[in-house]
């Protein structure tokens, strides 16, 4: 298993809601993650270098590898599910765990995401305990 | 200037009342837990974002409901945003109104929506003034050299 850059996982958090973006960023940082936020699916794909099915390097300009993607489900333009699909279609990113968040507890939605390969589904609003659990799942760095 | 212990007691009483009266719920406590020495203003920052966001949404809602042909999907989408952000900061009463509001959208009930918008404005203004009062109390405690009591 690869080590994380600087020993901390780098998480890409995608959410169109400004308040939620701020919250998820702080939650992840408090769990010792490096965080990059994106306000929608398109921006997330751009960051990953996957815009327009561009499968080149998978690294953005700064070359920061992403260890996990956490995304809201309901977003304008591209839903979290559609973003998940695009990520799973990418040979470069399909192994990156993708977590879906939603304020709505809809079993068909949850199953749909899990079947598409989402790592897990989290109900909003997010709490410290939720993120701590997630962080545990991410601890893979061997020294 | 009031003494620190008195201010702290005031703070505890006020905060407790906000929870008891349903203005705030446990999610607000989650925000407070995320505040520390390296992020001393986190709660104020998130809540300020909520205020800005809310005011925009209230305007958007008013505009959307004034259209000759109301686009209920658009209205619902604004309410969904409002529900999300209010729930994320623990503004329970605001979130509750949003739930009712979404039902009115689904029923395409214009009167219901207009009533909900009024209620939403009312609850938002209430929670905003209460949170502002809470933050002022915090400032008073800090300025008097005290520390903010931790609420369990």
């Amino acid at each position: 298993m690869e080590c994380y850059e600087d020993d901390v996982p780098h998480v890409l958090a995608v959410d169109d809601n400004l308040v939620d973006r701020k919250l998820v960023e702080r939650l992840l940082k408090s769990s010792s993650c490096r965080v990059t936020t994106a306000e929608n699916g398109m921006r997330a794909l751009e960051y990953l270098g996957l815009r327009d099915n561009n499968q080149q390097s998978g690294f953005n300009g700064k070359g920061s590898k992403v260890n996990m993607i956490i995304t809201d489900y309901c977003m304008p333009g591209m839903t979290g599910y559609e973003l998940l699909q695009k990520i799973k279609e990418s040979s470069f990113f399909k192994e990156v765990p993708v977590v879906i968040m939603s304020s709505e507890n809809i079993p068909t939605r949850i199953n749909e995401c899990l079947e598409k390969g989402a790592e897990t589904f989290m109900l909003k609003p997010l709490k410290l305990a939720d993120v701590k659990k997630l962080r545990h799942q991410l601890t893979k760095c061997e020294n | 200037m009031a003494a620190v212990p008195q201010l702290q007691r005031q703070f505890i009483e006020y905060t407790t009342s906000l929870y008891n009266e349903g203005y705030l719920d446990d999610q607000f406590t989650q925000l407070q837990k995320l505040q520390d020495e390296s992020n001393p203003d986190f709660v104020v920052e998130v809540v300020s974002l909520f205020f800005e966001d809310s005011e925009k949404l209230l305007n958007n809602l008013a505009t959307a409901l004034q259209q000759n042909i109301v686009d209920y999907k658009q209205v619902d989408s604004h309410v969904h945003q409002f529900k999300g952000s209010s729930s994320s900061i623990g503004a329970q009463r605001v979130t509750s109104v949003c739930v009712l509001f979404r039902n009115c959208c689904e029923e395409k009930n214009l009167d219901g929506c207009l009533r909900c918008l009024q209620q939403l404005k009312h609850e938002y203004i209430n929670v905003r003034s209460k949170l502002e009062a809470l933050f002022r109390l915090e400032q008073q405690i800090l300025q008097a050299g005290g520390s903010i009591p931790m609420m369990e």
Side-chain angles (χ1 to χ4, degrees):
Chain A
M1 266 288 168
E2 294 172 68
C3 275
Y4 302 130
E5 280 175 19
D6 306 322
D7 289 333
V8 293
H10 180 204
V11 183
L12 175 63
V14 192
D15 199 317
D16 61 310
N17 186 306
L18 190 50
V19 172
D20 286 347
R21 251 192 336 269
K22 175 114 182 154
L23 178 60
V24 77
E25 181 186 46
R26 180 76 198 102
L27 279 166
L28 289 166
K29 282 182 174 171
S30 79
S31 286
S32 314
C33 293
R34 191 152 59 84
V35 186
T36 298
T37 59
E39 59 188 21
N40 58 47
M42 272 304 175
R43 292 280 155 89
L45 290 177
E46 269 167 28
Y47 182 80
L48 296 170
L50 291 177
R51 187 68 195 276
D52 303 323
N53 296 315
N54 175 0
Q55 307 262 318
Q56 282 181 359
S57 63
F59 281 86
N60 66 355
K62 302 186 204 113
S64 277
K65 186 150 168 50
V66 167
N67 304 113
M68 186 175 84
I69 297 162
I70 180 166
T71 178
D72 190 24
Y73 184 93
C74 284
M75 294 189 293
M78 185 188 296
T79 65
Y81 178 78
E82 287 161 349
L83 177 60
L84 167 67
Q85 257 180 314
K86 291 247 165 9
I87 291 163
K88 291 302 170 190
E89 281 163 16
S90 152
S91 47
F92 201 89
F93 285 107
K94 64 181 181 211
E95 299 303 321
V96 176
V98 181
V99 174
I100 309 279
M101 316 178 264
S102 177
S103 55
E104 290 161 318
N105 191 350
I106 300 172
T108 45
R109 173 184 291 184
I110 299 171
N111 287 331
E112 191 187 41
C113 291
L114 293 175
E115 273 162 32
K116 205 43 167 188
E119 179 78 14
T120 187
F121 181 93
M122 288 168 68
L123 205 54
K124 283 171 147 189
L126 293 189
K127 302 181 188 302
L128 260 166
D130 299 326
V131 177
K132 287 215 163 105
K133 228 188 299 179
L134 206 59
R135 184 65 178 80
H136 267 298
Q137 286 172 256
L138 266 181
T139 40
K140 302 236 160 81
C141 187
E142 310 293 335
N143 271 321
Chain B
M1 190 154 60
V4 168
Q6 281 166 275
L7 287 169
Q8 286 173 325
R9 198 173 45 241
Q10 237 186 302
F11 176 85
I12 292 171
E13 280 167 10
Y14 193 60
T15 307
T16 306
S17 74
L18 293 181
Y19 283 97
N20 287 343
E21 291 164 29
Y23 287 102
L24 298 177
D25 65 28
D26 179 65
Q27 188 62 19
F28 189 75
T29 317
Q30 291 289 313
L31 296 187
Q32 292 174 315
K33 289 187 176 158
L34 287 169
Q35 186 160 286
D36 57 25
E37 306 81 49
S38 41
N39 296 273
D41 302 313
F42 177 70
V43 182
V44 170
E45 284 167 8
V46 184
V47 171
S48 300
L49 282 177
F50 169 68
F51 290 164
E52 275 170 41
D53 202 44
S54 300
E55 275 153 47
K56 238 185 288 181
L57 287 168
L58 285 169
N59 282 334
N60 290 343
L61 281 166
T63 305
L65 288 169
Q66 273 158 21
Q67 301 307 305
N68 285 327
I69 300 180
V70 174
D71 180 351
Y72 286 99
K73 266 215 172 99
Q74 177 72 282
V75 177
D76 183 73
S77 140
H78 293 314
V79 179
H80 176 80
Q81 284 291 307
F82 214 149
K83 177 167 167 280
S85 49
S86 60
S87 154
S88 290
I89 68 145
Q92 193 179 248
R93 286 200 188 184
V94 173
T95 307
S96 301
V97 177
C98 289
V99 173
L100 297 171
F101 203 151
R102 293 196 82 189
N103 290 339
C104 292
C105 289
E106 217 182 295
E107 295 162 10
K108 296 191 164 56
N109 176 354
L110 183 58
D111 279 338
C113 283
L114 289 168
R115 271 198 302 274
C116 282
L117 178 57
Q118 285 319 302
Q119 248 187 300
L120 196 52
K121 249 190 251 177
H122 177 77
E123 289 300 344
Y124 164 68
I125 288 168
N126 272 351
V127 82
R128 186 182 64 189
S129 68
K130 290 185 187 293
L131 286 170
E132 284 173 344
L134 190 67
F135 295 149
R136 270 196 305 270
L137 251 176
E138 284 185 348
Q139 279 312 300
Q140 280 180 280
I141 295 174
L142 293 173
Q143 273 157 27
S147 59
I148 316 290
M150 263 307 184
M151 303 293 301
E152 287 309 316

